[in-house]
Amino acid sequence: VVIKLNKSSTNIEKVFGNYVVKLNVSSDALIAHIQVKYQMNSDNILEEITDVEKFPTVYELNEFLVENNIVFGVEEYVLEDIVRNRLLDSVIIANGRKPIAGIDAKIEYNYDFSKNIKLIQDDDGNIDFKNLNWFSQVKKNDVIAVKTPATKGIDGMSVRGDTIKAKEGKDITFRFGKNVSMSYDFMKLYSLIDGMVEMTNGKVYVNEVLFINGDVDISIGNIDFIGDLFVVGDVKAGYNINVGGSMQVNGVLEASDITVEKDLIVRGGIQGSDTTRISTKGSIICKFIENANVVSQKDISTEFIIHSNVNAGENIFLNGRRNMIVGGDIVSKGSILANTVGSSMGTKTSVSIGVDSERMDLLKVKRNRSDELNIRLKKLVPIIEKGKHMLQIGSMDKLRKEVFAKSLNEYNDIANELRYLSEDIERILLEMTVCKESYLLVKKNIYPGVKVSIFGNTRHIKDYLNDCKIYLKGNEVAIEQR
């Protein structure tokens, strides 16, 4: 009996008379192959061909496997088949058991935190304000989330009988903030109060919600609230409201000063005056905007805008039956979509698109600072030149040297700041170039008297147009009839 180990592979050989049995074990030790090969002896060929009694027995093959530590997953019926049929093909003789990795823990939330406002419109284009799906309300002790724990996995076994450790599932922990607590078994999150549940930076919170079951009027007064505000009635004229969350008004929002940190929804519309100031960092959805000054850092969706100054940080969408912009100054960083712009009476209407107001303000600050520094720099130049001359002729005393050094340091500081300002201004201008892709899409009518500006380029509409797209082509405001 001879055992050979091929060092460059996992092949092991053993001779049984005129036969060689080869054993091959996979690198992961999960599969073992065996093959019987006939080994001809040239000295007595005829005798060896007829000598089948020397074919290894099941016992010998089993013993060979045990000698090489193949002890798990051995297929006995395969060994019997090899011997019974004198098989000379390589066959799988043992299968290990692969480890089954554990399943990672997961958290399932009972609420939708995407806050994707769904504008559902009927056949006339009216918005269904009852189903905007913009917030999720919870009651005290409501379950917000449920955790499924990680599993450890099932260990595997090699054909040599060695345990193959399974990878354990990864655990995950709840992340939560105010007004939220965890169950004793750490498997559930629940609310401690009635309020609005939301996720901010991966943490779950329940924010207080202030309900005004009526109008905001003299009985309520001004409001400064950290959470979300719901007004069942109207917001009467003359009040100041500052909301740290979102705000919803079921009625009409009259002439008031409104600051909203998130989204603003006004089902009855905004009926303002020249003194009305409405500002929000989120989106605005309302029935209409009339005689008001409105600023939103995101989208504005409404049925019509009349004689108002409106500024959107993203897009402005006109919808519903009236679907128009008449009068006022309308500004949008993104695009504007409307059926009608202007009126047959030639109402002065200004539409500016591709205007990034935030960056424009920052650019103005940077340029003003640059102008101030350049003026100071020009004043320093003659002082420094005079000092250089005095140094050359040796007529500068100690005090003048100190003044000269101070002037040089100031000059260098200003020059460095100007360089940084120049880089900032260039970066801001580059960031603003994306606004060049904005456009005005008018599905029906645009009237003479409308001024359209795109990224600082202006065109006055002198003729009645319908169904057109107005966009920037090169440095000119182009009109494309559709």
Side-chain angles (χ1 to χ4, degrees):
V1 175
V2 180
I3 298 177
K4 297 180 182 179
L5 176 62
N6 189 334
K7 294 182 180 180
S8 62
S9 69
T10 56
N11 289 334
I12 301 170
E13 297 180 358
K14 184 174 183 178
V15 176
F16 292 89
N18 296 331
Y19 293 89
V20 176
V21 180
K22 292 186 177 182
L23 173 67
N24 178 273
V25 182
S26 62
S27 58
D28 58 7
L30 284 172
I31 299 175
H33 289 79
I34 196 170
Q35 184 178 16
V36 180
K37 284 191 173 184
Y38 182 73
Q39 184 172 264
M40 184 176 290
N41 187 330
S42 58
D43 295 335
N44 196 349
I45 295 176
L46 183 59
E47 180 183 347
E48 292 182 0
I49 291 176
T50 58
D51 188 1
V52 297
E53 296 303 323
K54 293 182 181 180
F55 195 92
T57 66
V58 172
Y59 175 82
E60 288 174 325
L61 293 178
N62 247 322
E63 191 178 52
F64 172 56
L65 294 175
V66 172
E67 288 171 359
N68 291 284
N69 295 321
I70 308 301
V71 295
F72 180 82
V74 176
E75 305 288 358
E76 292 288 343
Y77 74 92
V78 175
L79 290 175
E80 294 170 359
D81 192 43
I82 291 172
V83 174
R84 182 172 54 251
N85 297 301
R86 301 294 194 265
L87 295 179
L88 301 181
D89 296 324
S90 177
V91 294
I92 296 175
I93 196 59
N95 283 287
R97 185 179 65 233
K98 290 184 178 181
I100 300 174
I103 300 172
D104 293 345
K106 66 177 181 178
I107 296 174
E108 294 184 11
Y109 294 96
N110 294 330
Y111 299 90
D112 180 9
F113 295 115
S114 64
K115 283 203 170 182
N116 293 323
I117 297 175
K118 297 178 181 178
L119 295 177
I120 302 172
Q121 302 183 47
D122 60 20
D123 294 337
D124 293 327
N126 298 310
I127 297 173
D128 180 3
F129 284 98
K130 294 181 180 179
N131 296 293
L132 291 176
N133 191 38
W134 75 288
F135 73 95
S136 296
Q137 194 170 349
V138 294
K139 297 291 184 182
K140 184 178 179 180
N141 296 326
D142 279 355
V143 175
I144 298 170
V146 178
K147 174 181 172 181
T148 301
T151 61
K152 291 186 176 180
I154 301 173
D155 291 341
M157 183 73 70
S158 76
V159 293
R160 294 192 175 97
D162 298 322
T163 299
I164 303 174
K165 293 293 293 181
K167 183 180 179 182
E168 294 188 2
K170 293 181 180 178
D171 194 16
I172 187 172
T173 56
F174 285 120
R175 297 186 66 213
F176 58 95
K178 64 178 182 177
N179 302 321
V180 178
S181 187
M182 191 162 48
S183 61
Y184 290 114
D185 61 0
F186 310 111
M187 292 293 112
K188 293 179 181 178
L189 281 186
Y190 61 91
S191 176
L192 295 174
I193 62 167
D194 295 349
M196 190 179 82
V197 61
E198 63 179 342
M199 182 179 287
T200 304
N201 297 326
K203 284 188 176 182
V204 178
Y205 300 84
V206 175
N207 289 321
E208 300 88 348
V209 181
L210 176 62
F211 285 91
I212 306 297
N213 193 20
D215 298 333
V216 176
D217 53 19
I218 194 169
S219 67
I220 301 296
N222 295 330
I223 297 174
D224 190 353
F225 186 61
I226 194 171
D228 300 289
L229 174 64
F230 291 85
V231 180
V232 175
D234 301 328
V235 175
K236 298 301 183 181
Y239 295 95
N240 296 327
I241 298 177
N242 184 25
V243 178
S246 297
M247 177 175 173
Q248 177 172 316
V249 180
N250 283 349
V252 176
L253 198 164
E254 297 179 4
S256 298
D257 284 343
I258 311 293
T259 302
V260 180
E261 192 69 20
K262 295 182 180 178
D263 299 315
L264 171 65
I265 292 180
V266 187
R267 294 184 178 183
I270 298 172
Q271 178 69 63
S273 67
D274 291 341
T275 60
T276 300
R277 298 287 183 271
I278 297 172
S279 175
T280 173
K281 290 185 179 180
S283 299
I284 295 177
I285 300 175
C286 60
K287 183 68 175 176
F288 61 84
I289 301 173
E290 187 171 353
N291 297 317
N293 300 291
V294 178
V295 177
S296 168
Q297 290 190 14
K298 293 187 178 180
D299 291 334
I300 295 177
S301 298
T302 186
E303 185 173 330
F304 59 89
I305 302 173
I306 296 178
H307 300 298
S308 297
N309 298 319
V310 176
N311 192 320
E314 293 183 5
N315 303 297
I316 297 177
F317 301 103
L318 280 297
N319 43 61
R321 287 173 294 182
R322 299 184 69 175
N323 199 319
M324 64 181 183
I325 298 172
V326 179
D329 192 355
I330 313 301
V331 179
S332 173
K333 177 183 174 182
S335 299
I336 299 177
L337 281 68
N339 277 359
T340 303
V341 180
S343 73
S344 57
M345 303 297 292
T347 306
K348 185 179 179 182
T349 306
S350 174
V351 177
S352 300
I353 52 181
V355 178
D356 190 335
S357 299
E358 187 177 348
R359 281 184 170 79
M360 285 287 285
D361 292 342
L362 181 59
L363 185 64
K364 185 177 179 180
V365 170
K366 297 283 186 183
R367 283 175 167 169
N368 287 342
R369 176 62 177 167
S370 180
D371 291 341
E372 292 173 7
L373 291 176
N374 275 309
I375 291 172
R376 286 171 56 188
L377 206 64
K378 287 179 181 178
K379 290 180 179 179
L380 285 170
V381 170
I383 296 173
I384 291 172
E385 291 299 325
K386 183 178 179 180
K388 287 180 179 178
H389 178 70
M390 292 179 71
L391 277 175
Q392 289 174 352
I393 62 176
S395 62
M396 185 177 287
D397 57 24
K398 183 178 180 181
L399 180 61
R400 286 179 177 174
K401 283 183 180 179
E402 290 176 357
V403 173
F404 178 66
K406 185 178 179 180
S407 297
L408 275 177
N409 288 334
E410 185 180 358
Y411 182 92
N412 290 331
D413 290 342
I414 292 173
N416 286 332
E417 188 175 349
L418 280 171
R419 185 173 71 254
Y420 292 132
L421 282 169
S422 177
E423 292 173 358
D424 288 344
I425 290 170
E426 186 177 347
R427 175 181 53 79
I428 293 169
L429 289 171
L430 182 63
E431 290 172 351
M432 289 172 61
T433 56
V434 298
C435 300
K436 287 185 176 181
E437 304 300 320
S438 302
Y439 58 85
L440 169 63
L441 183 63
V442 182
K443 295 181 180 179
K444 289 186 178 178
N445 310 314
I446 182 167
Y447 292 94
V450 175
K451 181 179 76 172
V452 180
S453 298
I454 306 177
F455 203 67
N457 302 274
T458 302
R459 180 162 181 169
H460 294 270
I461 304 301
K462 298 179 180 179
D463 301 310
Y464 167 82
L465 301 169
N466 63 357
D467 195 12
C468 62
K469 178 181 178 181
I470 302 177
Y471 62 99
L472 192 64
K473 188 176 183 180
N475 290 322
E476 293 185 359
V477 178
I479 299 175
E480 177 184 304
Q481 296 285 156
R482 297 179 350 121

